[in-house]
Amino acid sequence: MGGVPQTSLTSPLVGREDELARLPGVLERARAGEARAVLVAGDAGVGKTRTLDEVAGRAAAAGTTVLTGHCVDLGDVGLPYLPFTEILGVLAADERFAAVLAGHPVADRLLGGGPDDGTDAAPSRLRLFEGVAALLTELADVAPLLLVLEDLHWADQSSRDLLRFLLSRGVLQRPAGGTPGHRLALFASYRADDLHRRHPLRPLLAELVRLPGVERLELRPLPDADVARLVRSLRQRPLPDTTVHRIVERAEGNAFYAEELVAATDAPAVGVPSGLADVLLIRFEQLSETAQQVLRTAAVAGRRVGHGLLRDAVGLPEEELESALREAVERQLLVSADGDTYSFRHALAREAVYADLLPGERARLHGAFARLLAGPDRRSDSAAERAHHYRESHDLPEALAASLEAADHAQRVGAPA
């Protein structure tokens, strides 16, 4: 296909030698029974996910069970314990761990939203947190465990509270008597450039880094030499040195920005755009109109969306939808994920497409998702998403009703905040 950037689906990891030496050392200590946690900070696009993916791949090859949970941005509406329920969902679908989770009260409560078993919310939440810690340590007794929490800056308060408990009173605590601790490590990433002075994550981070088993790792922008190596590795045919120099200069050490600038060299327009949003939209604007329509719809859904929900929201025949999705995947804007879902390759790409929507278009698509999620098969744990979509579509009465339903669900799963 002419004009398709010659990049691999997973870009090569260039640089980060210090980080790749430090994080495996943390895993080695965890495998020896010294549970550890690392808070990975960095600006958007600097390479947090790529670095963690590399370390997680090496950990899995060494026999460590790797479980990843993601936080999502729903504005003021939070999905209770989302990264942890995602992890439990992966465990429940894995035959090796299904027996451990079968009938487990914590799994039943978080995945099924079962009834509260206590009359007082505070002790009930404490039992829930203790149950999650006990479940994780039980799994770590079977095999070394690595938990990866992505985009912690979007975590809801209940997820932050659970993380605080796990690291301060739960899985990092060493047993009495000098016996080995739990074979568990936790890596959590967050965008440092998103943490304004009043961001709710800031006080938690300040508290966690004082714990003896927690350390902070900051991913700084790549040196120019590493960016140049990355740029040259992304193309089968070499780029002119002047083009490489311009990309290195504009990328300012940001790996994802450099990748998109390389992709922009295939654009028919003369020159490389200066704005980040312009660069991020280059691949999007090279798609067919149908594929652009699908991506606009997917951007409103969030970082990832199920095939059936996307199909119903976009309103295209199945063959046209599949063709558009294949085009978006080949252009490396979408990634086909487990569970019949699609996700944007990078959150920045999704944010750029979403920001490019017209106000009326945005409200209309949010309304479509809200109505689909409120259909006959609606689940109580989708109430927070419905509230978000109704609010963004300016349907305030339905947003209020969905918010109340979301509050009831949150209370049942021990997330009163």
Side-chain angles (χ1 to χ4, degrees):
M1 295 177 63
V4 178
Q6 299 297 319
T7 57
S8 60
L9 186 59
T10 301
S11 60
L13 183 60
V14 173
R16 304 301 179 202
E17 287 82 5
D18 292 343
E19 293 85 352
L20 291 178
R22 180 175 168 184
L23 292 175
V26 173
L27 290 174
E28 286 296 330
R29 295 171 69 180
R31 277 193 286 266
E34 185 180 351
R36 308 288 299 176
V38 181
L39 304 173
V40 182
D43 292 348
V46 80
K48 299 182 297 298
T49 296
R50 184 67 187 85
T51 301
L52 289 178
D53 283 348
E54 179 72 19
V55 175
R58 297 182 185 183
T64 297
T65 299
V66 180
L67 300 169
T68 302
H70 301 82
C71 305
V72 299
D73 181 17
L74 290 183
D76 295 334
V77 181
L79 289 172
Y81 307 118
L82 178 62
F84 298 99
T85 56
E86 182 179 357
I87 286 171
L88 290 176
V90 172
L91 287 169
D94 192 321
E95 294 181 356
R96 297 174 299 166
F97 305 108
V100 177
L101 266 70
H104 197 287
V106 167
D108 288 345
R109 182 167 182 180
L110 291 184
L111 294 179
D116 194 349
D117 59 359
T119 57
D120 187 347
S124 178
R125 246 166 74 93
L126 179 59
R127 286 195 295 272
L128 174 66
F129 289 4
E130 290 174 339
V132 173
L135 176 60
L136 292 177
T137 54
E138 183 179 348
L139 293 169
D141 288 339
V142 176
L145 189 63
L146 170 61
L147 300 183
V148 180
L149 304 183
E150 291 268 22
D151 298 322
L152 202 59
H153 52 281
W154 287 330
D156 67 288
Q157 182 173 331
S158 296
S159 296
R160 296 195 301 270
D161 290 344
L162 177 53
L163 179 63
R164 176 187 288 110
F165 178 89
L166 291 175
L167 298 187
S168 63
R169 298 175 56 190
V171 295
L172 297 191
Q173 296 297 305
R174 293 184 67 90
T179 57
H182 309 299
R183 297 183 298 168
L184 186 147
L186 187 149
F187 296 162
S189 69
Y190 63 93
R191 287 186 188 176
D193 51 338
D194 269 16
L195 299 192
H196 52 78
R197 289 183 59 189
R198 297 183 179 178
H199 195 287
L201 185 61
R202 287 181 72 97
L204 175 60
L205 294 174
E207 177 182 339
L208 293 180
V209 294
R210 292 196 294 266
L211 298 174
V214 179
E215 54 189 281
R216 183 176 182 270
L217 174 64
E218 182 176 2
L219 265 64
R220 298 186 179 277
L222 290 169
D224 287 352
D226 285 341
V227 178
R229 286 170 52 207
L230 173 63
V231 169
R232 290 191 171 95
S233 69
L234 291 170
R235 299 298 298 261
Q236 292 178 351
R237 289 178 293 183
L239 289 168
D241 288 343
T242 54
T243 302
V244 173
H245 177 73
R246 290 176 62 202
I247 292 175
V248 170
E249 190 176 58
R250 292 179 183 272
E252 297 181 345
N254 189 296
F256 182 67
Y257 202 176
E259 292 176 29
E260 295 305 305
L261 285 165
V262 172
T265 61
D266 283 338
V270 177
V272 177
S274 59
L276 174 58
D278 292 337
V279 172
L280 295 176
L281 290 172
I282 285 291
R283 294 194 205 202
F284 172 77
E285 291 170 350
Q286 290 177 330
L287 299 175
S288 66
E289 182 58 40
T290 301
Q292 290 186 32
Q293 178 188 355
V294 170
L295 256 71
R296 291 189 188 101
T297 307
V300 172
R303 179 77 182 270
R304 53 173 52 96
V305 60
H307 181 87
L309 182 61
L310 180 60
R311 177 195 62 223
D312 294 341
V314 78
L316 288 173
E318 191 72 37
E319 290 186 3
E320 286 188 42
L321 174 63
E322 290 177 357
S323 177
L325 287 170
R326 182 174 298 278
E327 185 180 353
V329 169
E330 289 176 350
R331 293 294 179 107
Q332 301 181 37
L333 281 160
L334 287 184
V335 176
S336 178
D338 295 333
D340 200 23
T341 63
Y342 294 93
S343 61
F344 279 83
R345 188 173 68 91
H346 198 284
L348 281 174
R350 181 256 165 187
E351 292 165 23
V353 173
Y354 183 81
D356 197 51
L357 291 168
L358 297 172
E361 185 180 24
R362 188 179 302 164
R364 174 179 59 80
L365 290 172
H366 276 294
F369 277 109
R371 289 187 292 273
L372 288 169
L373 291 171
D377 299 328
R378 78 180 188 184
R379 308 190 320 270
S380 60
D381 58 359
S382 74
E385 290 180 83
R386 281 185 273 122
H388 167 68
H389 287 302
Y390 275 128
R391 187 179 61 182
E392 295 300 322
S393 67
H394 312 301
D395 190 341
L396 299 186
E398 290 291 349
L400 175 60
S403 294
L404 293 173
E405 185 181 343
D408 289 339
H409 173 260
Q411 182 69 27
R412 288 197 303 274
V413 298

